[in-house]
Every structure is written in C-alpha cells, then in structure tokens.
Amino acid sequence: MIELIRTNDAVVISFVESLMRDAGIGFLTADQNMSLLDGSIGILPRRILVDDEQIEEARRILTDAGIAHEIRRT
C-alpha cells in the first residue's frame, strides 16, 4: 500500500474515504486511534493508504475533487 494523504483534518479524511469508497478503491485509514495518545486534540496526523495498483487513479480522483494539494508525493 502507498500513502495517498497524511493530515490531521478529520473533514479531509472523511471526504477522501468517501471518494475512495465510491470509486471502489481499496484503502486503509492508518493511525486513526492515535488520538488516544495525543489526548484527542488532533495533533497526530492520520494517513490514507491505497492499494499500489490503484494509486494513480486515487490521485486523479483527488485532483478532480480539487484537493490535489493534499496528495502525498514521496
């Protein structure tokens, strides 16, 4: 799996999860329970990981949705 985005913005995470689900793209939201360590104040970012074979399609979807600036390029 490849990291698609990393953010501590819960709205962005929810939006990207919805986009991936609607497109049928396999993904995993990592570090979702890390808020227990930061006291639920949202300091630690969450990551959305996407299947290797679908990363380009996922990036295109985020670009089309107007949130290309969130894409993690490594």
Side-chain angles (χ1 to χ4, degrees):
M1 297 195 97
I2 298 175
E3 185 175 341
L4 178 63
I5 68 163
R6 179 183 298 190
T7 183
N8 54 3
D9 186 331
V11 173
V12 171
I13 291 288
S14 179
F15 182 49
V16 172
E17 287 174 337
S18 178
L19 289 171
M20 296 301 107
R21 208 173 288 113
D22 289 349
I25 294 177
F27 71 93
L28 169 73
T29 303
D31 308 322
Q32 197 162 353
N33 296 319
M34 294 301 289
S35 64
L36 295 174
L37 297 176
D38 72 7
S40 298
I41 58 177
I43 293 174
L44 299 174
R46 283 118 182 113
R47 299 173 295 143
I48 293 189
L49 308 172
V50 175
D51 289 335
D52 299 17
E53 303 84 28
Q54 296 178 305
I55 190 66
E56 290 307 318
E57 182 181 358
R59 288 176 177 153
R60 183 189 52 75
I61 289 169
L62 294 191
T63 300
D64 291 349
I67 56 172
H69 62 280
E70 296 287 348
I71 297 172
R72 185 105 168 141
R73 303 281 182 187
T74 54

